[in-house]
Amino acid sequence: MRISFRKTEIGPLTAILGGGLTAALLDITYAFVFFGLRGANPVRILQTIASGVLGKAAYQGGAGAAILGAFLHAGIAVVMAAVYVSASRVLPALNRRPWLWGPLYGIGCYLVMNYVVLLLRFGPRPAPHLEVLAGGVAIHMFGVGLPIALFAARAALSSRLPGSTSTPQPAA
């Protein structure tokens, strides 16, 4: 019996969308559970994401603001995936060790989001409690960076399979 990988080939766009949306889903599920156990409800969490664009009005925006927050969250994760997949096409070494580079990329995403993007949007914030920091770093390592890296590595493998329609990448 021959095993065919042709049915599982994916291209870079699929890697970006698959990795980004998987990361978004895992990250928001973590936020719903972690902060839900501390009294926050999912609508409020999504409104908080939307507040990056709407400001305090997001909290009076009801379901519409929550939906905007969900789309913004997914969009940010897709951008994170696009950056990694693009980098992995230039630096193929990223695809050879996704279990290493993915979590490291997740730490980088956490740092950029919390100490650049949120700092620029909302100004200085108090240092997070240890459990918030540890959980945030962990979910970004294993729920954001790792799935993105695994999708990127799958796309790179697909481009090297015999009979693939993808454009092969140069070896490093």
Side-chain angles (χ1 to χ4, degrees):
M1 179 174 161
R2 286 182 79 144
I3 298 173
S4 172
F5 289 102
R6 298 189 103 213
K7 293 179 183 171
T8 60
E9 287 183 35
I10 66 170
L13 181 58
T14 302
I16 290 167
L17 292 175
L21 295 177
T22 299
L25 182 62
L26 292 171
D27 186 42
I28 202 67
T29 300
Y30 166 79
F32 289 167
V33 171
F34 183 86
F35 293 106
L37 291 172
R38 288 154 179 79
N41 69 52
V43 170
R44 185 72 166 187
I45 292 167
L46 293 170
Q47 288 172 334
T48 299
I49 296 167
S51 75
V53 173
L54 302 177
K56 292 182 182 185
Y59 299 108
Q60 282 72 49
I67 291 168
L68 174 63
F71 277 105
L72 291 170
H73 183 72
I76 291 166
V78 168
V79 168
M80 290 175 178
V83 168
Y84 189 92
V85 170
S86 297
S88 75
R89 295 178 70 76
V90 176
L91 303 168
L94 296 176
N95 295 317
R96 288 192 290 271
R97 298 187 68 194
W99 292 93
L100 169 67
W101 296 114
L104 290 174
Y105 182 68
I107 293 170
C109 290
Y110 178 85
L111 293 171
V112 168
M113 281 303 301
N114 284 277
Y115 298 103
V116 177
V117 175
L118 295 178
L119 180 66
L120 290 173
R121 175 59 184 100
F122 297 108
R125 299 177 302 152
H129 293 282
L130 183 58
E131 68 272 10
V132 174
L133 175 67
V137 170
I139 191 59
H140 277 81
M141 288 174 69
F142 302 108
V144 175
L146 184 57
I148 289 171
L150 291 172
F151 270 91
R154 181 68 210 159
L157 175 63
S158 294
S159 71
R160 293 190 311 265
L161 292 174
S164 172
T165 57
S166 301
T167 305
Q169 297 302 305

